[in-house]
Amino acid sequence: MVERDKNHPSVIMWSLGNEAGTGENLRAMADWTHRRDPGRPVHYEGDWSSAYVDVYSRMYAGFEETERIGRRAEDPLDDPALDAHRRALPFVLCEYAHAMGNGPGGLSDYQRLFEAHPRLQGGFVWEWIDHGIRRRTDDGREFFAYGGDFGEVVHDGNFVADGLVFPDRTPSPGLAEFKKVVEPVVLAVDPAARTVTVRNTQDFADTGSLVFAWRVEDEGRPVAEGDLAVPVVPAGGEPATVGWPAALTAAADTEPAGERHVTVTGRLAEDQPWAPAGHEVAWAQARLHRPAPRPTPPTAPPAAAGNRITLGGAVFDAATGRLLRIGDLPLEDLRVGLWRAPTDNDLGGGDGCEAAGWRAAGLDRLEHKLLAVGTDRRGLTVSTRIAAAGSDAAILADYAWSAPADGSGRVLLTVAVAPVGAWRTTWPRVGLDIVVPMAAATLTWYGGGPGEAYPDTRAAARIGRFREPVENLQTPYLFPQENGGRTDVRWARVDEEHGGRWLRISADEPYALAVRPWPARSLDLARHTTDLRPDGRLHLSVDAARHGIGSASCGPGVRPEYRLVPAPSTFAVAFETG
């Protein structure tokens, strides 16, 4: 390999192999390569002592260990001289994020380490492309096949579907996340100082190829925009900090119509061999104004008639407290939900495997037991107990419904959940499962977008106003799993494609949202995208919190700050229909 490729300028380092153990044969290869081509370093991940190589290389070292290595504070080797040799070497994660299915999570956390410690050279995502083979069902629907789909007895299932792009080279949400995390030019907007700082992390190129611009939006609607004059920042040079132009300052000072953000971008000024003019290289966003929470309005008392209770525009079953409809829109279900269809990372075989614990706790088969229904002048209260059969762990969930006395038809819901008993696992999510009889719809939302995002995969989500048909919100991972979630949603509205009905869900505190044409159970049971069939309804997950994604399909699990540990919580949303 060295003889064949020694004149390729893109080869910067020789690797002795991959996952091949260690021994005198590897040392002999390293010695020969050093003699034959002394100008390039030698790499090998299979010998953690790094005795005969120029780089300390590892796969999937956890965040905490990587941080210790960055500080040169890792556990010592038994041989002091060898330990000193390894401690002097740069460190590379030759694999550090396994891009299998939904994920990888935690890229931003690793990037902070890479930038904080000079010893840490960075890492490589495994891998670029999902290895799936295009096939069609008998009725002509396309899918990508993987291990076991061809009658073979020995196979790795979908473990070869672990790339940042799908088999047809369509970018996955993971690629969008990775692009944001490794931006070569880093922007920072400081509303207090009214400055923008531009930091160039490139080793050779300056920022002269970029043009910078700003845009101010109120609830995602443009208010003002303009160019931003930034001096050229040399490669690795000191960051440039520039003051806001007068037009941006004026836009920031005007009375906002709702929440206001400023977004600054750096784009290519001219066509490049790798991207056209206008391609966005970097962006940053900051909030300029957040409106005060709505004052608590006077509430209308509920009205009981027969077996129904009316509260504002909502109608409930008097015996069960179940919401039947809001305005003219019936709701088939609305209840607290904890389950999600496990991701490849949830199913991972290492310490980060969460799905086994979730199933053992019965989170995929929860039963909802009515405890009490009550009304007073403030509204309707429904108390429930949620648990799986045979489990000693449960959740007490109270639904408090009220309606403003303004005749608007809005209805407000505050949900309080409290775990009881011995919970020995995390929760996938905590929120509401809502089923609406709409066969096809478009979602408009103000919040994080445009793509999917979860607690540890949200770097690429910017606050804005977005609109997509529900079918476009589904991420077609080869192995169906939790997908399509949006983050930091302030309000969202689903509009029926035929019939004109709509449902709007808003909250003072941002929530997470997923809208699907099938239930999570269908995702859980499916093995290919063609197993998923719309059931004529919309299935909404409106979440106060979600468990993170991690990289446990082959690497570390979800970091502690992104784990959803059972705990009491309260969240509130408002519903409107038309």
Side-chain angles (χ1 to χ4, degrees), residues 446-462:
Y446 171 55
E452 81 178 20
Y454 290 82
D456 54 349
T457 63
R458 59 189 297 170
R462 68 186 78 186

Side-chain angles (χ1 to χ4, degrees), residues 5-343:
D5 295 335
K6 61 182 180 291
N7 292 321
H8 280 284
S10 62
V11 175
I12 62 170
M13 187 185 307
W14 300 113
S15 176
L16 301 180
N18 180 66
E19 300 178 353
T22 187
E24 288 306 308
N25 54 336
L26 277 300
R27 179 184 291 276
M29 291 165 62
D31 291 345
W32 184 91
T33 302
H34 279 127
R35 291 194 302 271
R36 183 68 182 90
D37 186 17
R40 290 185 177 103
V42 174
H43 158 283
Y44 180 54
E45 58 79 28
D47 180 9
W48 290 8
S49 72
S50 306
Y52 42 78
V53 292
D54 307 299
V55 176
Y56 179 22
S57 176
R58 291 277 299 280
M59 289 184 179
Y60 303 108
F63 183 89
E64 289 77 12
E65 184 184 8
T66 301
E67 193 271 338
R68 291 196 301 272
I69 293 171
R71 292 188 290 105
R72 291 185 165 83
E74 67 265 33
D75 294 339
L77 298 171
D78 293 337
D79 183 332
L82 188 56
D83 182 70
H85 166 75
R86 190 183 72 175
R87 237 171 257 276
L89 299 180
F91 179 77
V92 169
L93 281 163
C94 62
E95 294 180 29
Y96 83 112
H98 197 246
M100 186 175 179
N102 188 334
L107 292 175
S108 294
D109 300 297
Y110 276 102
Q111 191 67 20
R112 283 194 291 272
L113 290 183
F114 299 157
E115 294 177 359
H117 301 287
R119 186 188 187 189
L120 304 182
Q121 302 298 294
F124 294 89
V125 175
W126 187 269
E127 60 177 320
W128 172 242
I129 189 169
D130 283 349
H131 299 285
I133 299 176
R134 194 189 306 271
R135 287 290 185 268
R136 293 187 182 274
T137 60
D138 292 341
D139 58 359
R141 291 175 297 128
E142 182 180 284
F143 69 100
F144 291 102
Y146 49 76
D149 287 336
F150 304 92
E152 68 274 35
V153 176
V154 179
H155 58 82
D156 273 343
N158 67 314
F159 199 69
V160 293
D162 50 9
L164 290 173
V165 298
F166 298 128
D168 61 359
R169 276 61 171 177
T170 300
S172 78
L175 183 59
E177 179 78 357
F178 185 61
K179 173 183 182 291
K180 176 59 181 170
V181 168
V182 299
E183 281 178 341
V185 175
V186 181
L187 306 177
V189 184
D190 187 339
R194 302 207 164 184
T195 59
V196 176
T197 299
V198 180
R199 180 164 60 93
N200 184 8
T201 67
Q202 297 174 114
D203 290 319
F204 303 102
D206 62 29
T207 61
S209 63
L210 302 180
V211 290
F212 298 89
W214 58 269
R215 183 178 65 257
V216 172
E217 294 176 331
D218 285 357
E219 289 205 357
R221 295 194 182 281
V223 172
E225 59 187 359
D227 298 329
L228 184 69
V230 177
V232 173
V233 182
E238 288 296 314
T241 299
V242 298
W244 287 4
L248 173 53
T249 300
D253 287 341
T254 58
E255 186 65 25
E259 189 175 39
R260 174 168 289 179
H261 285 83
V262 58
T263 304
V264 177
T265 59
R267 300 177 181 272
L268 290 178
E270 299 176 350
D271 290 346
Q272 300 292 336
W274 54 275
H279 174 79
E280 186 177 87
V281 173
W283 67 270
Q285 191 174 60
R287 185 166 60 194
L288 300 177
H289 175 79
R290 180 181 182 182
R294 295 188 186 192
T296 302
T299 57
N307 61 352
R308 296 289 185 264
I309 296 174
T310 301
L311 185 62
V315 177
F316 300 84
D317 184 293
T320 65
R322 185 171 74 87
L323 177 64
L324 301 175
R325 62 180 174 85
I326 305 174
D328 294 328
L329 180 67
L331 273 78
E332 296 187 17
D333 199 6
L334 187 152
R335 62 177 67 187
V336 167
L338 300 182
W339 180 248
R340 78 181 184 200
T343 67

Side-chain angles (χ1 to χ4, degrees), residues 436-441 470 496-498 501 516-517 534-538:
V436 182
M438 292 184 184
V470 168
E496 192 173 26
E497 187 173 312
H498 304 291
R501 297 179 301 178
R516 303 186 178 96
D535 66 0
R537 302 175 294 175
L538 294 184

